[in-house]
Amino acid sequence: MRREIPLIIFIFWFETFLFAAEAGMPQLDSKYWFSQSFWLILIFLALYLSLSKFFIPKIKDNLDNREKKIEENLNAAKEFTDLADKKKLDYDNEISNAKKEVAKIINESKKQLDKNINKKKNEFEKELEKEINKAEKEILNLKKNSSKSINSIAEEISEKVIENLTGEKLNNSSIKASIEEVSKIKMDKYL
Amino acid sequence: MHQFQVYRLGPEIKLGNVDLSFTNSSLFMLISALSICIFLYFGSKKKGIIPSRLQLVAEIFYNFIAKMISDTAGSKAKPYFPFIFTLFMFVLLCNMVGMLPYSFTVTSHIIVTLVMAVFIFIAVTIIGFVKHGLKYLSIFVPKGVPVVLLPLITVIEIISYLSRPVSLSVRLFANMMAGHTMLKVFGSFVISLGLLGGWLPLSFSVALTGLEILVAFLQAYVFAILTCIYLNDALNLHH
């Protein structure tokens, strides 16, 4: 029992406090009912009139304006996209035309170039042939000349050699004849 | 309780035998109404394509009520939009202003909610009779009910129809009063338990305040949507 004493005290204290909070219901006091109704009707009516005549149309206007403007902008955007698509098509056409023209020009100049190259080639070949002929003739001349000079050199050398060996001067014409004989036989071997 | 006490402010105004003095209740009605006007003034002042914050909130409220009306009562209820919008905003602001400390909650008085509910009841009944004539009485005779049950059902329907203003007003009044009473009780717990034990009721009353703000919005919404439903019954007779 002693243990419960604090609890009982607490409950009693709690109860008095609860009753203190509840001091009747002023809502049921009819003293100001008419006043409250009167002011409610007055203020509500004023609020209703100002809202329905002034604020609600304004908000509605704002909303309608926004919707209209968004729609207009969307339409304008659509028009612009269409325009852009058209421009893109034109551009593509122009590009493909230009490409065709470029191919044509390249083809033509290629043909012209081939022609020129062939012409030059022919001319060059002709000139080359001429030069070759000339060179061959020269070589032939050189061959002949060289055989003659070889003969004369051989004559001189053999004359000197014979002179040194024998101390006698031999007849020029006999040496010449023998050298010509030898060279006729052997010249083809060396030249 | 002191927070529900109505007292006279300024001089006594008497019309014959009737006391029409300006009271603290009238003052807070006026504060709520003026707050609505100021809010909507700044919410509709600028005509920007991209709305400012306040404008966005005002437009959200507008669209919210417009959608609620078209969902519950159809397109026929469009002319009543300003009334329902005003009703919703007024009840909401009265509830919300009442959440401020030391303020007075207008909607926690049965007479205020009763006047609104009775007005709605009478207006809806008149609209019903004007639109449909005596056919409006068929609202008390639901379709597809066996003939044997019909007398009973009709009596029940009449009683439920007549109790509409009472249920509408008492719902709002009782919710507001109960919430504020609970806040008051927990508030006095904090004082009496002191620094040592007061923390628990304090945290409780913080949570309750959040709940009460939700209730304030919810009750305004319920009040408006029930008005819409009653209006729907009067405008579109079939159900």
Side-chain angles (χ1 to χ4, degrees), chain A residues 18-106:
Chain A
L18 266 185
F19 281 120
E22 194 185 321
M25 262 173 83
Q27 281 94 337
L28 299 180
D29 179 11
S30 65
K31 191 186 171 196
Y32 285 112
W33 277 10
F34 279 109
S35 155
Q36 273 172 294
S37 315
F38 169 73
W39 286 102
L40 172 69
I41 291 164
L42 197 71
I43 291 168
F44 192 86
L45 200 68
L47 187 68
Y48 172 72
L49 287 178
S50 64
L51 253 65
S52 63
K53 295 278 171 247
F54 188 61
F55 292 115
I56 289 173
K58 238 173 142 185
I59 294 175
K60 195 170 154 42
D61 259 21
N62 276 357
L63 286 170
D64 288 352
N65 264 348
R66 180 169 316 139
E67 212 160 286
K68 216 170 107 194
K69 244 181 203 175
I70 286 170
E71 205 168 308
E72 271 171 19
N73 284 359
L74 278 180
N75 283 343
K78 211 183 170 193
E79 264 172 37
F80 279 125
T81 16
D82 286 350
L83 201 71
D85 283 349
K86 215 175 151 193
K87 289 250 156 138
K88 176 99 189 343
L89 215 70
D90 286 353
Y91 167 82
D92 282 349
N93 276 344
E94 215 143 295
I95 289 267
S96 65
N97 280 348
K99 269 184 182 165
K100 271 179 202 164
E101 206 145 310
V102 164
K104 215 166 136 193
I105 289 169
I106 286 176

Side-chain angles (χ1 to χ4, degrees), chain A residues 14 17 21 24 27 35 39 66, chain B residues 1 20-21 49 59 108 189:
Chain A
F14 196 76
F17 153 78
Q27 281 94 337
S35 155
W39 286 102
R66 180 169 316 139
Chain B
M1 270 185 282
L20 297 179
S21 310
I49 279 292
E59 282 165 8
S108 68
F189 274 170

Side-chain angles (χ1 to χ4, degrees), chain B residues 26-83:
Chain B
S26 326
L27 176 70
F28 279 97
M29 280 179 206
L30 205 60
I31 288 173
S32 307
L34 284 178
S35 318
I36 294 167
C37 286
I38 290 166
F39 163 60
L40 289 180
Y41 174 72
F42 286 107
S44 62
K45 193 172 140 205
K46 228 180 60 181
K47 294 197 166 179
I49 279 292
I50 298 160
S52 60
R53 282 178 212 180
L54 217 59
Q55 193 186 348
L56 191 67
V57 176
E59 282 165 8
I60 284 171
F61 272 123
Y62 182 97
N63 284 331
F64 177 66
I65 302 295
K67 194 169 178 301
M68 185 174 87
I69 291 175
S70 69
D71 282 355
T72 51
S75 57
K76 273 188 200 167
K78 233 170 197 178
Y80 306 104
F81 174 79
F83 175 73

